[in-house]
Amino acid sequence: MLKSTLSGLTGRPRAFDGVLEQAGRIILGKEHEIRLAIACLLANGHLLIEDLPGMGKTTLAHTLARLLGLQFSRIQFTSDLLPADITGVSVFERERSDFRFLPGPVFAQLVLADEINRATPKTQSALLEAMEEGQVTAEGQTRMLPTPFFVIATQNPAHQIGTFPLPESQLDRFLMRLELGYPDRTAERALLAAGGQRRRVEELTPLLTPDDLPALQQEASTIHAAGPLIDYVQALIEATRQNPAFLHGLSPRAGLALLAAARAWAWLAGRDMVLPDDVQAVLPAVARHRLRSAQGGGYALAEDIAALIRSVAIP
Amino acid sequence: MSTPAHEALDRHATPWLFATALATTAPHFMHQPLWLSAVAGAMLLWAVWQWWKDVRLPGRWLLFLLVVGGSAGILGEFRTLFGRDAGVAMLVMFMNMKLLELKSRRDAMVVVTLGYFLLLTHYLYSQSIPTGIWLLAAMWLVTATLIRLHGGPSSRPRETLRYAGVLCLQAIPFMLVLFLLFPRIPGPLWGLPSDAFTGKTGLSDTMTPGSIAQLVQNGDIAFRVRFDGPLPPRQKLYWRGPVMEQFDGTTWHLYKGRQPTAQLESLSPPIGYETTLEAHNERWLLALDAPVALPAESLLNGTLTAISRNPINERKRFRLSASLDYRLNTSEDPAVLRRNLALPASGNPQTRALAAQWQAGNRPEAVIAKALALFNAEFTYTLQPPLLGQHGIDDFLFRSKRGFCEHYAAAFVTLMRGAGIPARVVGGYQGGEFNPLDQYLVVRQSDAHAWAEVWLAGMGWVRVDPTAAVSPSRIETGIANALAFGEPLPMLIQMRADWIRTLRYRWEAINNAWNQNILGYDPQRQRELLARLGLPDTDWRSLAIALGSACGLLVAGLMGWALYKRPEGDPVVRLWHKALRHLARRKVDCSPWETPLDLARRVREQRPELAEAFQRVVDAYLVARYGNTDQHLKTLRDAIAQLR
C-alpha cells in the first residue's frame, strides 16, 4: 500500500484489517476481490459472484460469514427448487390444531444462494423479493428477515447448459458483481500445496459480532463525499449514457450504489473522505452487470469500463 | 504580506536588487563622467562580492565616509548638487551605495523605490524608442523585485517575472488613458532642469572655413518636412538660417544692429508644408526660401530669416508656407548695401586685385559669371581642404583650390564685394532626403550648407550658389553623391546599398511616427483628439472628469472581469495545476483521468527524488479538495513551495 498520511488519517479502529487478512489466507491471491466483497457488505448491498465452478465462490461466501460472525445458511439452487423451499412453509400441527410456519433458509443473516441461475425465474424472484424488501411474504403473511441481511449469490456463466440467466431488473438488485478468475501462479501453487481450503473455513473464529456490523455500516455511510467527487460520479454516469460501447447507461439508482460502494471502499482504506481512486476501484464491480455491451449484448466488457474511466477527467 | 519591515532580508532575494540597481543606473554611463560610473560599478561589484562570500557588510563609519566622499566628488565635478546632471549623479551613486547596507527588508524597499525613481531620470536625457523599450523592461524587473521581496506567489524567478509581467500588462490601459487624457503642460516636460539644453548641435551664427565641414560630419537629423503637395525640385530646397553680412578676414558674423523690414514680392504660388524642428538652441526656424506665411510667435527679419521668439530647445512642429520664386528688397536701404560691400581694411590682396580687374568695364552679371566659371574650371569640392594661412581667401583661390561650401561662399562674396557688388553669405541647409515610406523629407546636419546672395539693381537680392558651379551634383542629388568615397561623412549617409537604405528609411519612418504622435502629443493635439471624441472646448476640469470616468470605467471593467473569472479559479485547483506544471517540466505528464494517488505512485517510479515532496502535495491537495474542511490551502501552498 502507498505510504501516505491519508490512510489511517482518522485513527479509526481497523476492525476489518483482521477480516481482510484472515480471508486472504483462505482465498489466496484475491485480495482485491475480497476487499470488494467486504465493501459490498459494508455498504449494505448484496453480492453476486460469477465464475466457473471450482473457483472458490462458495468458499469466499462461507469465509465472510464465518469471520463476520453472521448466522449463515446456504441454498443450493436447482431447476426443481420451489419458492417455498426458500421462504419456508406452514405445516399443520395437530396438537395446536393450527398451522405453524417453518422458516426457510432465507431467514439467516448471510444467505449463500449457490448457482442461482439454475433455478426457475419464479424461484429466483422469491429470493430477489426478499433481498429488496428485507421481508418475506408467504401464505398471506409478511415476516421480517433478520438484520443484517445479506445475500451472496453465485452463478455460473450463462452459456452453460440448463440455466436461467437473471434478467436485468434483478441484476440491478446486486450492489456488486465479482468474477474471481483463476488464481495466479504463486497462489495456485500455495493452494495445491496446502490442499483444499474449504475445511479450514470451519476453523476460523468470528472477528465481529452481528451487533457490530450495523454500527460500522452506519459509519461507512457517513464518509464525506465532497462536491468535486460527486461531480466526478455524475460525470462517469453521464459518460455511460453517451458512450457507444454500451446499449444503455447507468440508472440513478446505480449512481447511488456507486457512491455507497465508494464510501465503503474509502472507509476500508481508513479515510474519512471519498477520493476518485475509490470510485475508480469499485466502478467495474458496480457497473459491469448493470450495463449491456453493444457487442453481443452481454455484460459490459472490462476493457470498456477501463476506457470509460480514461474518458472522464477528474474534476 | 505582513512581513515586518525590519525583518532580515532573504539571501536569495538579494540578486534581484543587484539586477534592479544595474538596470536602472547602467544607461546613465553614457552621459556621466567616467569616474562616477567607475565608482558606482565598483560599489555594485563590492556588494555582489560580499553577498557571494557572505561577508559582513561594511560598518557605519565606512559608509559615512563613502557618502561624504561621493557627495564631495559630485560637488567638485558639477559645482552643485542640484540640477539634472548633478541630481542624477547623486541618485546613481546612492543607489549603488545602498547595496552595501542591505540588511533588512526596509533597505531593499529603498532600493526598489529608488529604482522606480531612477527610471524617470532617463527621460531627461533621451525619449527615443530604444530608451522607452529599455525602461519598460527595467520597470518589469523592478516590479518583479518588489514582488519577490513580498514573498510573491513563489520564489522561482520565472513565476515572479510572469506575475510582474501580468501586473505591468494590466497597467497598460491606465497608461494609455493617462497619456491621452492627463492635462498636457505646454513646454518641455522632460527638460525641466536648467542645464538640460546643453550639447545640441546645429548651425551657428558665425562661419569660419571648416565650420560647416565639421557639422556635415554629423548624421543627426536637423528637421523633418512634410509638404502639402508634391516635393519641389531639389535644387530649390534652400532652408535659410543666419545671414552673415560682416567679415573680419577669417570669420563671417551676423549683423546685430537693426535691420529694415524685408520687402518680399512672391512670384509663384505658395507651397504649404509642416516642419518638425529638432532642438538646436538657436532661434531660426530654417524656413524654406522664401517664407510667406509664418507660425505664431515668430517673425521674418530683414534678411529673410524666419526667427522664433524663443530659442528652439525642444522638438517643435510648425506650419509654414514658401514661395519658391521671389524678389527681395529691390529698393534696398543704402546703409545695408554699404554694409554688404565692406571688406576688412587689409588682407587677401590677390583676391582684391582680381576683383578690381573684373569690375573694370563689366556688368555685375558678367562678373558673377566669371567667378562661377573660375570655380567650375579648376576647383575641387572636398570635406578635407588643406589648412589656409593668414590670407585665407587668397590661399584658397590661388593655391589650394580645394574647399567645402563655406570656402566657396566666402571667396565668392569677397570677390563680389571687391568688384563693387553687394553680397553676403547665407547659412542654412540644402536639399534633404525624401523617405518614400512616410513621405517625409529628412534634413540632416550633413545637409548643412552655405551659399551667397548678391544684390542687383532691379532684381534685389539674388541667390547665387557657387558650390553648384564646383559640384552640381551636391545640389541636384545630395552630398553623399557629391563627395568622393572616403570623405569623412557619417556612415549612415554613405551606405548606398539598397537594403540598408530601405532599412534606414523604415527605422526613420518609425522614429518619425514616434516623434510626431507620441512625443509631439501636445495640448493642441490633445484638444483635437478630444474634439474628435465629441468633447470640444475642453478645459482642465472637463479633462479631469474625462480622466476620472475613464479610469473608473477601466477599474470597474477589470473588477467585473475578475469577478466573472472567479468561479473557475478555485485556488486549490489552481495550486494543483501549478504542481502538475512543475511535474510536466520534469517530464512527468498527468492524464486528466489519472487520480492524484496514481500519479504519486508513478512519480515514485519515474522520479524517485521528487516522490516524497510530491506525496506531501498530493496529500494536502486531496484533503483540501475532497476533505470535509476548507482550511488546508496553506498546507497545500507550503507543500508546493517545497517542490523544487
Side-chain angles (χ1 to χ4, degrees):
Chain A
M1 202 46 209
L2 183 79
K3 242 188 36 225
S4 156
T5 54
L6 281 175
S7 43
L9 202 71
T10 53
R12 176 199 315 283
R14 308 298 302 273
F16 273 83
D17 282 359
V19 178
L20 283 166
E21 195 228 321
Q22 300 253 10
R25 272 196 230 149
I26 304 287
I27 300 117
L28 297 165
K30 295 288 167 202
E31 285 80 9
H32 186 69
E33 285 75 10
I34 294 168
R35 191 174 266 267
L36 277 172
I38 292 172
C40 182
L41 300 189
L42 258 177
N44 209 359
H46 304 290
L47 178 66
L48 177 63
I49 306 179
E50 188 160 325
D51 223 320
L52 295 168
M55 303 295 256
K57 305 186 289 282
T58 314
T59 313
L60 174 61
H62 210 160
T63 306
L64 289 181
R66 197 74 199 157
L67 289 172
L68 300 180
L70 297 175
Q71 179 199 352
F72 179 71
S73 86
R74 174 178 171 176
I75 312 168
Q76 178 65 50
F77 278 49
T78 55
S79 55
D80 54 357
L81 193 75
L82 294 174
D85 296 335
I86 296 172
T87 55
V89 287
S90 297
V91 287
F92 186 76
E93 272 198 348
R94 192 160 303 196
E95 299 94 79
R96 289 170 52 205
S97 302
D98 198 3
F99 285 96
R100 189 169 67 94
F101 183 72
L102 291 178
V106 80
F107 285 86
Q109 286 168 321
L110 197 158
V111 176
L112 173 62
D114 230 352
E115 303 196 72
I116 189 172
N117 59 339
R118 292 211 173 275
T120 57
K122 192 176 178 183
T123 312
Q124 288 173 355
S125 65
L127 175 69
L128 294 163
E129 189 213 331
M131 284 162 59
E132 186 64 21
E133 313 288 338
Q135 61 193 24
V136 164
T137 309
E139 293 155 13
Q141 261 200 306
T142 298
R143 292 180 174 84
M144 294 304 293
L145 291 167
T147 50
F149 175 71
F150 298 120
V151 172
I152 297 180
T154 72
Q155 165 166 276
N156 288 332
H159 52 74
Q160 296 219 334
I161 302 158
T163 57
F164 299 94
L166 288 173
E168 278 164 49
S169 60
Q170 296 186 340
L171 280 171
D172 198 33
R173 309 271 165 84
F174 291 97
L175 178 64
M176 289 190 193
R177 172 188 158 277
L178 295 182
E179 284 171 10
L180 288 177
Y182 297 113
D184 60 25
R185 283 181 65 88
T186 44
E188 185 142 33
R189 165 86 211 205
L191 188 75
L192 292 172
Q197 299 286 347
R198 210 180 275 201
R199 62 190 158 71
R200 287 182 54 197
V201 175
E202 303 301 329
E203 298 158 12
L204 292 172
T205 48
L207 297 171
L208 293 175
T209 66
D211 297 339
D212 292 340
L213 203 54
L216 297 176
Q217 282 176 334
Q218 171 63 26
E219 211 178 299
S221 70
T222 55
I223 296 288
H224 179 69
L229 187 102
I230 292 179
D231 291 344
Y232 183 49
V233 170
Q234 201 176 3
L236 280 172
I237 291 170
E238 265 178 32
T240 64
R241 296 171 191 166
Q242 316 286 339
N243 198 322
F246 311 121
L247 286 179
H248 55 77
L250 287 177
S251 66
R253 181 159 67 187
L256 286 172
L258 179 58
L259 200 53
R263 281 198 166 101
W265 188 264
W267 187 87
L268 276 180
R271 267 186 269 107
D272 60 356
M273 63 198 170
V274 189
L275 297 182
D277 302 74
D278 305 325
V279 179
Q280 289 186 359
V282 299
L283 183 68
V286 173
R288 276 187 64 196
H289 63 289
R290 291 178 158 98
L291 293 167
R292 284 283 163 274
S293 171
Q295 303 170 346
Y299 296 141
L301 304 173
E303 301 89 89
D304 288 341
I305 299 290
L308 177 81
I309 288 176
R310 277 199 296 276
S311 74
V312 177
I314 295 172
Chain B
M1 302 275 164
S2 58
T3 340
H6 53 77
E7 186 191 85
L9 192 59
D10 174 7
R11 191 178 144 75
H12 300 290
T14 316
W16 285 96
L17 297 167
F18 296 150
T20 290
L22 188 66
T24 54
T25 59
H28 281 307
F29 168 76
M30 286 181 285
H31 35 73
Q32 260 178 353
L34 199 60
W35 70 265
L36 209 126
S37 302
V39 169
M43 306 264 188
L44 177 64
L45 287 179
W46 187 10
V48 171
W49 178 80
Q50 280 178 327
W51 171 79
W52 185 257
K53 297 277 174 197
D54 215 357
V55 190
R56 255 188 87 223
L57 293 168
R60 195 177 295 235
W61 278 105
L62 186 53
L63 284 177
F64 181 73
L65 283 178
L66 280 174
V67 168
V68 170
S71 308
I74 290 169
L75 198 60
E77 176 81 32
F78 299 98
R79 306 273 150 220
T80 172
L81 289 179
F82 305 102
R84 181 185 67 168
D85 290 337
V88 169
M90 293 277 277
L91 283 174
V92 169
M93 176 84 86
F94 289 154
M95 173 67 143
N96 288 295
M97 278 185 188
K98 189 70 198 169
L99 299 178
L100 292 174
E101 55 164 9
L102 289 177
K103 292 196 190 79
S104 67
R105 223 166 54 89
R106 203 191 63 166
D107 297 316
M109 290 306 294
V110 171
V111 170
V112 168
T113 316
L114 257 180
Y116 277 120
F117 192 79
L118 269 163
L119 290 182
L120 282 183
T121 60
H122 294 279
Y123 283 125
L124 297 175
Y125 293 94
S126 160
Q127 296 138 46
S128 65
I129 297 175
T131 309
I133 292 174
W134 173 270
L135 292 184
L136 275 183
M139 187 182 74
W140 181 22
L141 177 69
V142 179
T143 308
T145 307
L146 186 61
I147 289 170
R148 178 66 181 80
L149 287 176
H150 284 85
S154 119
S155 55
R156 289 218 328 280
R158 231 167 75 172
E159 284 292 308
T160 310
L161 280 173
R162 199 183 64 82
Y163 201 70
V166 169
L167 275 182
C168 290
L169 286 178
Q170 283 170 340
I172 282 181
F174 291 93
M175 181 183 85
L176 290 178
V177 165
L178 287 171
F179 175 77
L180 292 174
L181 296 181
F182 195 83
R184 293 267 139 188
I185 302 161
L189 180 61
W190 290 111
L192 289 175
S194 59
D195 54 354
F197 307 124
T198 53
K200 298 276 199 301
T201 53
L203 281 180
S204 97
D205 56 358
T206 60
M207 188 186 86
T208 49
S211 66
I212 292 185
Q214 201 182 7
L215 182 60
V216 162
Q217 295 172 32
N218 185 330
D220 288 354
I221 289 170
F223 53 98
R224 294 179 169 93
V225 175
R226 184 158 62 182
F227 288 98
D228 296 348
L231 185 69
R234 273 194 75 89
Q235 54 269 35
K236 298 224 166 178
L237 294 178
Y238 281 85
W239 311 94
R240 186 183 286 250
V243 174
M244 289 158 278
E245 295 177 313
Q246 292 189 310
F247 182 47
D248 63 5
T250 47
T251 309
W252 293 83
H253 296 277
L254 278 177
Y255 173 67
K256 294 275 164 63
R258 220 187 65 81
Q259 293 264 15
T261 324
Q263 289 142 13
L264 185 68
E265 183 189 343
S266 48
L267 303 176
S268 61
I271 295 171
Y273 65 97
E274 188 183 71
T275 177
T276 308
L277 201 52
E278 299 291 323
H280 59 69
N281 285 354
E282 298 284 355
R283 290 169 57 198
W284 40 79
L285 295 184
L286 300 163
L288 182 62
D289 260 356
V292 289
L294 291 179
E297 309 259 307
S298 60
L299 55 91
L300 207 56
N301 73 3
T303 55
L304 206 63
T305 307
I307 303 275
S308 160
R309 179 178 291 173
N310 297 309
I312 312 288
N313 50 26
E314 53 159 348
R315 185 181 295 113
K316 273 208 170 121
R317 191 167 32 218
F318 304 102
R319 271 213 67 79
L320 293 150
S321 61
S323 208
L324 293 177
D325 301 301
Y326 60 91
R327 214 169 266 162
L328 173 65
N329 288 2
T330 40
S331 56
E332 185 61 285
D333 186 339
V336 175
L337 293 181
R338 262 199 311 282
R339 188 157 69 234
N340 285 297
L341 281 169
L343 283 173
S346 62
N348 298 314
Q350 283 179 288
T351 310
R352 287 166 194 254
L354 180 66
Q357 181 197 329
W358 283 350
Q359 186 183 13
N362 277 320
R363 292 173 41 78
E365 285 84 349
V367 174
I368 294 169
K370 273 179 188 293
L372 294 181
L374 173 72
F375 289 149
N376 190 12
E378 299 175 44
F379 282 74
T380 311
Y381 186 61
T382 173
L383 267 176
Q384 296 164 299
L387 280 174
L388 302 175
Q390 188 195 350
H391 303 294
I393 294 182
D394 278 5
D395 285 354
F396 168 67
L397 277 179
F398 302 101
R399 279 172 286 281
S400 73
K401 302 192 176 181
R402 296 162 60 82
F404 198 60
C405 57
E406 66 263 38
H407 297 91
Y408 294 99
F412 180 81
V413 169
T414 308
L415 278 170
M416 290 304 116
R417 287 187 179 186
I421 305 170
R424 56 195 187 188
V425 173
V426 184
Y429 297 83
Q430 202 282 325
E433 186 180 29
F434 187 66
N435 187 337
L437 293 178
D438 61 356
Q439 308 286 314
Y440 269 84
L441 181 80
V442 177
V443 181
R444 297 171 179 282
Q445 302 299 353
S446 55
D447 293 313
H449 192 47
W451 60 94
E453 259 184 344
V454 294
W455 189 85
L456 301 174
M459 295 173 73
W461 288 103
V462 176
R463 177 170 61 221
V464 178
D465 190 348
T467 307
V470 187
S471 170
S473 60
R474 162 69 184 91
I475 309 304
E476 282 153 21
T477 58
I479 186 151
N481 294 325
L483 289 170
F485 196 76
E487 294 270 5
L489 268 181
M491 281 301 282
L492 212 59
I493 309 292
Q494 281 190 36
M495 299 285 185
R496 291 171 213 182
D498 274 350
W499 66 271
I500 294 180
R501 192 172 352 183
T502 315
L503 217 63
R504 183 158 62 83
Y505 282 158
R506 197 164 295 271
W507 173 238
E508 281 170 5
I510 292 171
N511 257 316
N512 186 29
W514 169 264
N515 288 342
Q516 299 290 339
N517 301 318
I518 308 291
L519 301 179
Y521 184 73
D522 52 14
Q524 175 61 30
R525 290 236 164 162
Q526 191 175 38
R527 268 195 299 278
E528 284 167 17
L529 178 88
L530 289 170
R532 235 177 298 158
L533 292 176
L535 287 169
D537 303 327
T538 40
D539 57 357
W540 66 269
R541 272 188 213 85
S542 37
L543 263 184
I545 291 169
L547 189 63
S549 10
C551 285
L553 278 176
L554 265 177
V555 169
L558 279 176
M559 274 173 71
W561 182 67
L563 284 175
Y564 171 76
K565 287 281 284 183
R566 207 160 141 164
E568 286 180 50
D570 184 342
V572 176
V573 177
R574 261 207 322 272
L575 285 169
W576 173 244
H577 283 164
K578 197 170 129 187
L580 290 186
R581 282 198 298 278
H582 191 89
L583 278 190
R585 276 194 291 277
R586 282 164 173 69
K587 306 276 179 289
V588 184
D589 287 313
C590 175
S591 315
W593 51 271
E594 193 171 21
T595 70
L597 289 176
D598 286 341
L599 181 63
R601 230 163 278 148
R602 218 151 50 78
V603 168
R604 192 165 290 267
E605 284 162 19
Q606 295 178 3
R607 312 287 301 212
E609 74 280 7
L610 271 178
E612 203 178 322
F614 188 67
Q615 185 65 58
R616 275 197 297 275
V617 173
V618 166
D619 289 354
Y621 167 66
L622 290 176
V623 171
R625 180 108 174 110
Y626 297 105
N628 195 8
T629 167
D630 48 12
Q631 290 167 0
H632 284 76
L633 203 56
K634 193 183 171 330
T635 322
L636 176 57
R637 193 171 285 142
D638 293 348
I640 287 176
Q642 284 170 13
L643 267 186
R644 272 183 175 272

